């Protein structure tokens, strides 16, 4: 079967480690679902979860009585997601966020859980606009490590000691400018941010890092594995065996723009 994702974003080797990542702050998801309900005419909101991965966000949405269409191009990720959501009100689709293959104007909400940054964001906004019903919302969200948290700071210092030029990419950026650059598509931007703590063992924390795709340690290469092993050996030496660690869920939402035409006689 032909791959439909670029090699740079091929998460096949990372898929099995996604379950070690912390999921989004529950209260934040509650508020976002409520926002979608307020603009929907349906008793049960229909969500296009774009870049659904192994189903982390989809499972949270299903638990809040949403009907979910989970769009995921990577076969390994999608297979895990299908298994995790078996028997629930979800349809899995093999497609990308810029060509979802879904119908026009069919969705009450379009969500991107840690996926908006791995595609052309302008094209993703255009595709979201196409999928949404009038006046409904698109949302992009991420979990960010709180770098002021003592454990996260220790981990960050260890990583930078091995990778001095380490950066975190588009996912850490303010998404408002890219949304505002498409005012013909979306308006009424809402920003939501919530801190939360996640209990992890050091082994599971390292497993969560194995789910990360970055240019610094490619786990499919000998050099990448050697660098990652050096980093994780140091993490095991410096970090406690178990800990509560601080994250922040950040989400940007915007309403599908409804153009008003004024006729002047």
């Amino acid at each position: 079967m032909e791959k439909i994702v670029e090699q740079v974003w091929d998460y096949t080797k990372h898929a099995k480690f996604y379950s070690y990542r912390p999921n989004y702050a529950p209260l934040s998801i509650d508020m976002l679902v409520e926002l979608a309900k307020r603009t929907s005419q349906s008793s049960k909101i229909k969500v296009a979860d774009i870049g659904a991965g192994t189903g982390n966000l989809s499972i949270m949405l299903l638990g809040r009585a949403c009907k979910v269409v989970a769009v995921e191009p990577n076969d390994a990720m999608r297979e895990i997601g299908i298994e995790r959501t078996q028997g629930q009100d979800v349809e899995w689709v093999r497609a990308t966020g810029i060509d979802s293959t879904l119908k026009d104007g069919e969705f009450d909400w379009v969500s991107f859980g840690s996926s908006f940054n791995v595609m052309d964001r302008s094209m993703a906004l255009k595709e979201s606009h196409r999928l949404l019903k009038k006046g409904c919302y698109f949302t992009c969200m991420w979990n960010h490590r709180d770098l002021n948290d003592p454990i996260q700071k220790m981990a960050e210092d260890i990583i930078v000691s091995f990778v001095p030029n380490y950066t975190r990419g588009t996912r850490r950026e303010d998404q408002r400018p890219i949304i505002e650059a498409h005012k013909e598509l979306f308006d009424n931007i809402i920003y939501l941010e919530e801190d939360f703590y996640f209990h992890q063992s050091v082994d599971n924390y390292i497993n969560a890092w194995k789910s990360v795709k970055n240019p610094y340690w490619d786990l499919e290469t000998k050099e990448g594995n050697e660098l990652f092993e050096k980093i994780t050996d140091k993490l095991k030496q410096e970090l406690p065996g178990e800990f509560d660690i601080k994250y922040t869920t950040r989400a940007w939402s915007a309403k599908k723009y409804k153009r008003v035409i004024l006729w002047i006689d």
Side-chain angles (χ1 to χ4, degrees):
M1 187 178 289
E2 182 185 0
K3 286 188 177 181
I4 57 173
V5 287
E6 295 178 339
Q7 186 64 36
V8 68
W9 292 117
D10 185 357
Y11 280 83
T12 300
K13 300 293 185 183
H14 306 261
K16 63 184 178 181
F17 298 107
Y18 260 67
S19 61
Y20 295 100
R21 289 188 174 196
N23 216 335
Y24 304 98
L27 183 58
S28 293
I29 303 302
D30 289 342
M31 289 188 280
L32 291 169
V33 169
E34 184 61 29
L35 176 66
K37 285 180 178 177
R38 285 175 178 266
T39 56
S40 172
Q41 303 299 316
S42 308
S43 57
K44 188 172 188 177
I45 63 171
K46 187 173 183 180
V47 186
D49 185 16
I50 306 296
T54 60
N56 284 0
L57 178 57
S58 292
I59 287 170
M60 295 190 80
L61 299 179
L62 290 167
R64 288 158 177 79
C66 298
K67 178 178 176 62
V68 178
V69 177
V71 177
E72 174 51 51
N74 182 268
D75 296 334
M77 301 269 270
R78 198 176 58 259
E79 286 169 10
I80 293 171
I82 290 170
E83 184 177 350
R84 294 177 72 199
T85 58
Q86 194 169 11
Q88 300 189 62
D89 195 3
V90 59
E91 174 189 355
W92 283 85
V93 175
R94 185 177 186 266
T96 69
I98 61 177
D99 183 16
S100 67
T101 72
L102 307 179
K103 293 181 181 178
D104 294 3
E106 192 170 277
F107 293 89
D108 303 294
W109 187 21
V110 174
S111 63
F112 293 77
S114 301
S115 60
F116 193 53
N117 58 301
V118 304
M119 62 190 79
D120 184 302
R121 290 177 292 169
S122 293
M123 294 179 70
L125 285 169
K126 291 173 184 176
E127 181 72 348
S128 298
H129 187 271
R130 182 183 71 79
L131 296 178
L132 284 167
K133 297 174 184 177
K134 288 182 180 179
C136 289
Y137 280 86
F138 122 94
T139 299
C140 57
M141 69 184 84
W142 290 267
N143 276 338
H144 291 157
R145 295 179 298 122
D146 186 329
L147 301 181
N148 294 317
D149 175 84
I151 295 292
Q152 298 284 27
K153 190 176 187 312
M154 288 172 65
E156 187 80 359
D157 289 346
I158 289 168
I159 292 168
V160 171
S161 72
F162 289 99
V163 188
N165 62 333
Y166 182 74
T167 60
R168 301 167 203 89
T170 306
R171 60 177 287 121
R172 279 270 176 175
E173 294 175 4
D174 181 0
Q175 304 302 313
R176 176 178 282 271
I178 187 69
I179 300 170
E180 287 183 335
H182 295 81
K183 285 187 175 178
E184 78 283 4
L185 302 177
F186 290 97
D187 207 344
N188 298 89
I189 298 171
I190 297 172
Y191 176 66
L192 181 155
E193 179 177 305
E194 182 186 354
D195 298 336
F196 68 99
Y197 287 87
F198 184 67
H199 189 78
Q200 263 180 327
S201 68
V202 66
D203 288 335
N204 285 349
Y205 182 67
I206 290 169
N207 281 332
W209 273 104
K210 291 178 182 178
S211 73
V212 174
K213 183 82 172 178
N214 67 37
Y216 306 109
W217 55 80
D218 183 349
L219 299 182
E220 295 188 43
T221 68
K222 180 182 176 183
E223 295 80 7
N225 271 295
E226 287 175 351
L227 174 57
F228 187 71
E229 284 180 12
K230 290 177 182 177
I231 292 170
T232 55
D233 285 346
K234 190 69 171 175
L235 288 172
K236 288 179 181 178
Q237 291 173 26
E238 298 291 333
L239 300 185
E242 291 192 12
F243 39 77
D244 288 320
I245 194 165
K246 192 176 181 181
Y247 291 85
T248 302
T249 293
R250 294 190 172 102
W252 288 260
S253 300
K255 184 186 288 187
K256 180 174 179 175
Y257 184 67
K258 184 178 181 181
R259 186 176 299 277
V260 178
I261 300 175
L262 299 177
W263 295 97
I264 301 176
D265 294 329

